[in-house]
Amino acid sequence: MRLADVKGHERVRAVLARALERDRLPPALLLDGPQGVGKKTLALAAAQAALCEAAPLPEPCGACRTCRRVAAAIRPERLSELRQEADRHPDEDVWRNFRLHPDLVLAEGWWLTRTGRPRTEPEIRVDQIRDLMGEIAGAPFEARRRVFVIDDAHTMNDAAQNALLKSLEEPPPRSHVILVSSAAAGLRPTIRSRCQRLRFGPLPRLVVGKMLERERGLGAEAARLQAALAGGSLGAALSFEPGTELRRREELLALLEGVAGADALTRMEAAEALEQVEEPALLLTTLRSLLRDLVALRAGATPDALLNPDVAPRLAALAASPLGERALNLAEDAAQARSALRGFASKLLTFDRLVEALAGD
Ligand SMILES: [Zn+2]
């Protein structure tokens, strides 16, 4: 896996490549940005480069024994085997610290409770971090460096964040911790301040659209639409089921069109319907794309500049309505609701509040 294989994010890739080339990978890094844009992939590519026997180089050589071992261990099929294996031992926290190489650990959160019941959000448990702390303090076994990638770092519970902080305070010279997060606000300020932060933006719609054309065999128009609905997240765009997102967008449009005149009971029903949606983050991304189009239309944008050009006439009508005047604030409300849900807020209360905001109360 090369850094250059990750789509988009030229600036972040260039910064990482330069640090690797100079053998100056920071002891603690935070890769922060939307879900599904390639943060973890880039973290693992950087890890491979740091461990590579030919390092320091801006990219892993891809040919040495270490590179080959790491590349084999980070294949998606291998990772999903490791996850399945871990799920057979939900009460043993450290099973989700995947040892991809003696000097490379990928820690992921549990989607199961210790008794094996499903969770709605993953959780990184304190014993996982305690296990890592011992390793971070040690010297490399085989490679020049040791790298610890913590995915969805914001899902570390309080005790886990406390424990990690100690490791970040005095990092040994050849250990590197890379935190990956789509909700860095969920990390303690003390952790964030000890990390060098690299921010990822959403992928350009054109990049996501091209990938969808290639990977999903979609036509250019359908790919463009799906890319827009995914808000620049390739992961989200690839996880869409054909038709589902369009249906959901239709429901959201109908909500925007009807919410102002709706009575209290209807609004409560609307909030309950939103609460039932399986992927609230995707739903809120789609809502935000509609609201952003309203803002754009009010600023004089032409239909072809919209994220949702196929429903331009309906959006134009909404933009001219009282709801359109509040579109900018509402887009912000949708973004806040999304962060709130990542922070374990009550789904129903969050959607209640959002529907009330849309109604203008
Ligand atoms: Zn190599």
Side-chain angles (χ1 to χ4, degrees), residues 146-147 179 194 209 306 309:
R146 317 200 73 192
V147 180
L179 305 182
R194 280 177 176 76
L306 298 180

PDB file of all heavy atoms in Angstrom, residues 146-147 179 194 209 306 309:
ATOM      1  N   ARG A 146       8.001   1.454  15.702  1.00  0.00           N
ATOM      2  CA  ARG A 146       6.747   0.789  16.037  1.00  0.00           C
ATOM      3  C   ARG A 146       5.622   1.779  15.782  1.00  0.00           C
ATOM      4  O   ARG A 146       5.759   2.954  16.118  1.00  0.00           O
ATOM      5  CB  ARG A 146       6.690   0.388  17.507  1.00  0.00           C
ATOM      6  CG  ARG A 146       7.959  -0.209  18.045  1.00  0.00           C
ATOM      7  CD  ARG A 146       7.658  -0.997  19.300  1.00  0.00           C
ATOM      8  NE  ARG A 146       6.977  -2.218  18.906  1.00  0.00           N
ATOM      9  CZ  ARG A 146       6.360  -3.030  19.756  1.00  0.00           C
ATOM     10  NH1 ARG A 146       6.272  -2.725  21.024  1.00  0.00           N
ATOM     11  NH2 ARG A 146       5.787  -4.127  19.314  1.00  0.00           N
ATOM     12  N   VAL A 147       4.541   1.294  15.210  1.00  0.00           N
ATOM     13  CA  VAL A 147       3.420   2.192  14.937  1.00  0.00           C
ATOM     14  C   VAL A 147       2.134   1.598  15.508  1.00  0.00           C
ATOM     15  O   VAL A 147       1.883   0.388  15.383  1.00  0.00           O
ATOM     16  CB  VAL A 147       3.256   2.468  13.421  1.00  0.00           C
ATOM     17  CG1 VAL A 147       2.082   3.417  13.170  1.00  0.00           C
ATOM     18  CG2 VAL A 147       4.537   3.075  12.838  1.00  0.00           C
ATOM     19  N   LEU A 179      -3.739   8.496  15.713  1.00  0.00           N
ATOM     20  CA  LEU A 179      -5.168   8.457  16.014  1.00  0.00           C
ATOM     21  C   LEU A 179      -5.932   8.822  14.748  1.00  0.00           C
ATOM     22  O   LEU A 179      -5.574   9.766  14.057  1.00  0.00           O
ATOM     23  CB  LEU A 179      -5.519   9.460  17.108  1.00  0.00           C
ATOM     24  CG  LEU A 179      -4.749   9.360  18.427  1.00  0.00           C
ATOM     25  CD1 LEU A 179      -5.271  10.396  19.413  1.00  0.00           C
ATOM     26  CD2 LEU A 179      -4.895   7.969  19.023  1.00  0.00           C
ATOM     27  N   ARG A 194      -1.693  17.082  22.275  1.00  0.00           N
ATOM     28  CA  ARG A 194      -0.418  16.361  22.205  1.00  0.00           C
ATOM     29  C   ARG A 194      -0.169  15.741  20.835  1.00  0.00           C
ATOM     30  O   ARG A 194       0.859  15.125  20.606  1.00  0.00           O
ATOM     31  CB  ARG A 194      -0.360  15.288  23.290  1.00  0.00           C
ATOM     32  CG  ARG A 194       0.004  15.887  24.612  1.00  0.00           C
ATOM     33  CD  ARG A 194      -0.004  14.877  25.723  1.00  0.00           C
ATOM     34  NE  ARG A 194       0.452  15.510  26.948  1.00  0.00           N
ATOM     35  CZ  ARG A 194      -0.271  16.337  27.686  1.00  0.00           C
ATOM     36  NH1 ARG A 194      -1.502  16.635  27.323  1.00  0.00           N
ATOM     37  NH2 ARG A 194       0.219  16.878  28.777  1.00  0.00           N
ATOM     38  N   GLY A 209     -17.281  10.412  -7.788  1.00  0.00           N
ATOM     39  CA  GLY A 209     -18.082  10.020  -8.950  1.00  0.00           C
ATOM     40  C   GLY A 209     -17.317   9.077  -9.869  1.00  0.00           C
ATOM     41  O   GLY A 209     -17.836   8.048 -10.287  1.00  0.00           O
ATOM     42  N   LEU A 306     -25.722  22.855  -8.321  1.00  0.00           N
ATOM     43  CA  LEU A 306     -26.269  22.291  -7.078  1.00  0.00           C
ATOM     44  C   LEU A 306     -25.761  20.873  -6.844  1.00  0.00           C
ATOM     45  O   LEU A 306     -25.349  20.176  -7.767  1.00  0.00           O
ATOM     46  CB  LEU A 306     -27.800  22.267  -7.154  1.00  0.00           C
ATOM     47  CG  LEU A 306     -28.488  23.624  -7.303  1.00  0.00           C
ATOM     48  CD1 LEU A 306     -29.996  23.433  -7.361  1.00  0.00           C
ATOM     49  CD2 LEU A 306     -28.095  24.549  -6.159  1.00  0.00           C
ATOM     50  N   PRO A 309     -29.023  18.613  -8.505  1.00  0.00           N
ATOM     51  CA  PRO A 309     -29.571  19.375  -9.637  1.00  0.00           C
ATOM     52  C   PRO A 309     -30.874  18.785 -10.174  1.00  0.00           C
ATOM     53  O   PRO A 309     -31.697  19.506 -10.739  1.00  0.00           O
ATOM     54  CB  PRO A 309     -28.459  19.290 -10.699  1.00  0.00           C
ATOM     55  CG  PRO A 309     -27.648  18.100 -10.317  1.00  0.00           C
ATOM     56  CD  PRO A 309     -27.740  17.971  -8.827  1.00  0.00           C
TER      57      PRO A 309
END
